[in-house]
Amino acid sequence: MVTLTSYQRFELVLIPSSFLFSLILVLIFGLNIIGSETWVLMGIPVLLGFAISIFIGYFLKKRNMVHEITQLESLFRLLVLAGGGVLIPVLVAQVFELLTFSSIFSILSLIFSVLGCTMTISCFLLFWHTRTTH
């Protein structure tokens, strides 16, 4: 295992903290602008995305898939590609007006929640793994 530089450790702290901060801001912004139905439109998909991410994090820990920074970067690339692959059908459905605004909002909340929480959990796993091995 390669020792992490201070910049890489800073990244491992910055990614989860910026995601959690932005998630809190989006929830507060949505509550103030749209109202209490935001918690139904966005809160439930965010919680579902968090649950899916915990399952993915358990799978990553069980398989010991993230124990070097290069593996974490590769995982991030795969997550971004998968998220983009899911966004394309949603955008196509929006163009043809197959989805309503509220369903698009919920689907996007779920996608971004899964991506962000999975990245956060994988950062925590790598950070914890490097702390326990050194």
Short mmCIF file of all heavy atoms in Angstrom, two decimals, residues 66-95:
data_model
loop_
_atom_site.label_atom_id
_atom_site.label_comp_id
_atom_site.label_asym_id
_atom_site.label_seq_id
_atom_site.Cartn_x
_atom_site.Cartn_y
_atom_site.Cartn_z
N VAL A 66 -11.45 -0.77 -2.27
CA VAL A 66 -10.87 0.57 -2.20
C VAL A 66 -9.82 0.56 -1.11
O VAL A 66 -10.12 0.76 0.06
CB VAL A 66 -11.95 1.63 -1.91
CG1 VAL A 66 -11.34 3.00 -1.86
CG2 VAL A 66 -13.05 1.58 -2.94
N HIS A 67 -8.59 0.29 -1.49
CA HIS A 67 -7.51 0.36 -0.51
C HIS A 67 -6.31 1.14 -1.05
O HIS A 67 -5.28 1.18 -0.42
CB HIS A 67 -7.12 -1.01 0.00
CG HIS A 67 -6.60 -1.96 -1.06
ND1 HIS A 67 -7.33 -2.32 -2.14
CD2 HIS A 67 -5.43 -2.58 -1.18
CE1 HIS A 67 -6.63 -3.14 -2.89
NE2 HIS A 67 -5.46 -3.31 -2.33
N GLU A 68 -6.48 1.78 -2.20
CA GLU A 68 -5.47 2.69 -2.75
C GLU A 68 -6.19 3.85 -3.43
O GLU A 68 -7.32 3.71 -3.87
CB GLU A 68 -4.57 1.98 -3.76
CG GLU A 68 -3.60 1.00 -3.12
CD GLU A 68 -2.61 0.45 -4.11
OE1 GLU A 68 -2.52 1.00 -5.22
OE2 GLU A 68 -1.95 -0.54 -3.77
N ILE A 69 -5.50 4.97 -3.50
CA ILE A 69 -6.13 6.17 -4.07
C ILE A 69 -6.44 5.99 -5.56
O ILE A 69 -7.43 6.52 -6.05
CB ILE A 69 -5.24 7.42 -3.81
CG1 ILE A 69 -6.01 8.71 -4.08
CG2 ILE A 69 -3.98 7.37 -4.62
CD1 ILE A 69 -6.97 9.09 -3.03
N THR A 70 -5.65 5.21 -6.27
CA THR A 70 -5.92 4.99 -7.69
C THR A 70 -7.20 4.19 -7.89
O THR A 70 -7.93 4.43 -8.85
CB THR A 70 -4.74 4.26 -8.37
OG1 THR A 70 -4.48 3.04 -7.67
CG2 THR A 70 -3.49 5.14 -8.36
N GLN A 71 -7.48 3.25 -6.97
CA GLN A 71 -8.73 2.51 -7.05
C GLN A 71 -9.92 3.41 -6.77
O GLN A 71 -10.97 3.27 -7.38
CB GLN A 71 -8.70 1.33 -6.08
CG GLN A 71 -7.71 0.27 -6.46
CD GLN A 71 -7.58 -0.78 -5.39
OE1 GLN A 71 -7.77 -0.50 -4.21
NE2 GLN A 71 -7.26 -2.00 -5.80
N LEU A 72 -9.73 4.35 -5.84
CA LEU A 72 -10.79 5.30 -5.54
C LEU A 72 -11.08 6.20 -6.74
O LEU A 72 -12.24 6.45 -7.08
CB LEU A 72 -10.41 6.15 -4.33
CG LEU A 72 -11.45 7.14 -3.84
CD1 LEU A 72 -12.63 6.39 -3.23
CD2 LEU A 72 -10.84 8.08 -2.83
N GLU A 73 -10.04 6.65 -7.41
CA GLU A 73 -10.23 7.47 -8.61
C GLU A 73 -10.93 6.70 -9.71
O GLU A 73 -11.81 7.23 -10.40
CB GLU A 73 -8.88 8.00 -9.10
CG GLU A 73 -8.25 9.00 -8.16
CD GLU A 73 -6.80 9.30 -8.50
OE1 GLU A 73 -6.22 8.61 -9.37
OE2 GLU A 73 -6.25 10.23 -7.89
N SER A 74 -10.58 5.42 -9.88
CA SER A 74 -11.25 4.59 -10.88
C SER A 74 -12.72 4.38 -10.52
O SER A 74 -13.59 4.40 -11.39
CB SER A 74 -10.56 3.23 -10.98
OG SER A 74 -9.23 3.39 -11.42
N LEU A 75 -12.98 4.18 -9.23
CA LEU A 75 -14.37 4.03 -8.78
C LEU A 75 -15.16 5.30 -9.06
O LEU A 75 -16.31 5.24 -9.51
CB LEU A 75 -14.41 3.69 -7.29
CG LEU A 75 -15.80 3.59 -6.67
CD1 LEU A 75 -16.54 2.39 -7.24
CD2 LEU A 75 -15.70 3.51 -5.17
N PHE A 76 -14.57 6.46 -8.81
CA PHE A 76 -15.24 7.72 -9.09
C PHE A 76 -15.56 7.86 -10.57
O PHE A 76 -16.64 8.33 -10.94
CB PHE A 76 -14.40 8.91 -8.62
CG PHE A 76 -14.43 9.13 -7.14
CD1 PHE A 76 -15.13 8.30 -6.29
CD2 PHE A 76 -13.75 10.19 -6.60
CE1 PHE A 76 -15.16 8.51 -4.93
CE2 PHE A 76 -13.77 10.42 -5.23
CZ PHE A 76 -14.48 9.59 -4.39
N ARG A 77 -14.64 7.45 -11.43
CA ARG A 77 -14.89 7.52 -12.87
C ARG A 77 -16.06 6.62 -13.26
O ARG A 77 -16.92 6.99 -14.06
CB ARG A 77 -13.64 7.13 -13.65
CG ARG A 77 -12.57 8.19 -13.63
CD ARG A 77 -11.41 7.83 -14.54
NE ARG A 77 -10.30 8.70 -14.25
CZ ARG A 77 -9.21 8.34 -13.60
NH1 ARG A 77 -9.06 7.09 -13.18
NH2 ARG A 77 -8.25 9.21 -13.37
N LEU A 78 -16.08 5.41 -12.70
CA LEU A 78 -17.19 4.49 -12.99
C LEU A 78 -18.52 5.04 -12.49
O LEU A 78 -19.54 4.92 -13.18
CB LEU A 78 -16.92 3.12 -12.35
CG LEU A 78 -15.85 2.27 -13.01
CD1 LEU A 78 -15.58 1.02 -12.18
CD2 LEU A 78 -16.27 1.89 -14.41
N LEU A 79 -18.52 5.64 -11.31
CA LEU A 79 -19.75 6.21 -10.77
C LEU A 79 -20.26 7.36 -11.64
O LEU A 79 -21.47 7.48 -11.88
CB LEU A 79 -19.53 6.69 -9.34
CG LEU A 79 -19.41 5.62 -8.27
CD1 LEU A 79 -19.03 6.23 -6.93
CD2 LEU A 79 -20.71 4.84 -8.15
N VAL A 80 -19.35 8.20 -12.09
CA VAL A 80 -19.76 9.33 -12.94
C VAL A 80 -20.29 8.83 -14.27
O VAL A 80 -21.30 9.34 -14.78
CB VAL A 80 -18.58 10.31 -13.12
CG1 VAL A 80 -18.86 11.31 -14.20
CG2 VAL A 80 -18.27 11.00 -11.81
N LEU A 81 -19.65 7.83 -14.85
CA LEU A 81 -20.15 7.26 -16.11
C LEU A 81 -21.52 6.61 -15.92
O LEU A 81 -22.41 6.75 -16.76
CB LEU A 81 -19.15 6.26 -16.68
CG LEU A 81 -17.87 6.85 -17.26
CD1 LEU A 81 -16.91 5.74 -17.65
CD2 LEU A 81 -18.20 7.72 -18.46
N ALA A 82 -21.69 5.89 -14.81
CA ALA A 82 -22.98 5.26 -14.54
C ALA A 82 -24.05 6.31 -14.31
O ALA A 82 -25.18 6.17 -14.81
CB ALA A 82 -22.86 4.34 -13.33
N GLY A 83 -23.72 7.35 -13.58
CA GLY A 83 -24.69 8.42 -13.35
C GLY A 83 -25.07 9.12 -14.64
O GLY A 83 -26.24 9.44 -14.87
N GLY A 84 -24.10 9.36 -15.51
CA GLY A 84 -24.40 9.95 -16.81
C GLY A 84 -25.23 9.03 -17.67
O GLY A 84 -26.13 9.48 -18.39
N GLY A 85 -24.97 7.73 -17.57
CA GLY A 85 -25.76 6.76 -18.32
C GLY A 85 -27.21 6.71 -17.86
O GLY A 85 -28.11 6.46 -18.65
N VAL A 86 -27.43 6.98 -16.59
CA VAL A 86 -28.80 7.01 -16.08
C VAL A 86 -29.48 8.34 -16.40
O VAL A 86 -30.69 8.38 -16.63
CB VAL A 86 -28.80 6.75 -14.55
CG1 VAL A 86 -30.16 6.95 -13.95
CG2 VAL A 86 -28.30 5.34 -14.26
N LEU A 87 -28.70 9.40 -16.44
CA LEU A 87 -29.28 10.72 -16.73
C LEU A 87 -29.78 10.86 -18.16
O LEU A 87 -30.74 11.58 -18.42
CB LEU A 87 -28.27 11.82 -16.45
CG LEU A 87 -28.04 12.17 -14.99
CD1 LEU A 87 -26.95 13.23 -14.87
CD2 LEU A 87 -29.30 12.64 -14.34
N ILE A 88 -29.15 10.17 -19.10
CA ILE A 88 -29.52 10.30 -20.51
C ILE A 88 -30.97 9.87 -20.75
O ILE A 88 -31.74 10.62 -21.38
CB ILE A 88 -28.52 9.55 -21.41
CG1 ILE A 88 -27.18 10.28 -21.38
CG2 ILE A 88 -29.04 9.42 -22.83
CD1 ILE A 88 -26.06 9.53 -22.04
N PRO A 89 -31.42 8.70 -20.27
CA PRO A 89 -32.84 8.36 -20.48
C PRO A 89 -33.81 9.32 -19.77
O PRO A 89 -34.89 9.60 -20.28
CB PRO A 89 -32.98 6.95 -19.90
CG PRO A 89 -31.61 6.41 -19.86
CD PRO A 89 -30.69 7.56 -19.71
N VAL A 90 -33.39 9.85 -18.61
CA VAL A 90 -34.25 10.81 -17.91
C VAL A 90 -34.39 12.08 -18.73
O VAL A 90 -35.49 12.62 -18.88
CB VAL A 90 -33.68 11.11 -16.50
CG1 VAL A 90 -34.43 12.25 -15.85
CG2 VAL A 90 -33.73 9.87 -15.62
N LEU A 91 -33.30 12.55 -19.31
CA LEU A 91 -33.36 13.75 -20.14
C LEU A 91 -34.16 13.52 -21.41
O LEU A 91 -34.90 14.40 -21.86
CB LEU A 91 -31.96 14.25 -20.45
CG LEU A 91 -31.16 14.76 -19.25
CD1 LEU A 91 -29.75 15.10 -19.68
CD2 LEU A 91 -31.84 15.93 -18.61
N VAL A 92 -34.02 12.36 -22.01
CA VAL A 92 -34.79 12.03 -23.20
C VAL A 92 -36.28 11.98 -22.85
O VAL A 92 -37.13 12.49 -23.60
CB VAL A 92 -34.31 10.69 -23.82
CG1 VAL A 92 -35.28 10.19 -24.87
CG2 VAL A 92 -32.92 10.86 -24.39
N ALA A 93 -36.62 11.39 -21.71
CA ALA A 93 -38.02 11.34 -21.28
C ALA A 93 -38.55 12.74 -21.00
O ALA A 93 -39.73 13.02 -21.26
CB ALA A 93 -38.15 10.46 -20.04
N GLN A 94 -37.70 13.62 -20.51
CA GLN A 94 -38.12 14.99 -20.26
C GLN A 94 -38.39 15.73 -21.58
O GLN A 94 -39.34 16.49 -21.68
CB GLN A 94 -37.06 15.73 -19.46
CG GLN A 94 -37.42 17.15 -19.15
CD GLN A 94 -36.31 17.88 -18.42
OE1 GLN A 94 -35.21 17.37 -18.29
NE2 GLN A 94 -36.61 19.08 -17.97
N VAL A 95 -37.57 15.48 -22.59
CA VAL A 95 -37.75 16.13 -23.88
C VAL A 95 -39.09 15.72 -24.50
O VAL A 95 -39.81 16.55 -25.06
CB VAL A 95 -36.57 15.80 -24.83
CG1 VAL A 95 -36.88 16.21 -26.25
CG2 VAL A 95 -35.31 16.47 -24.34
#
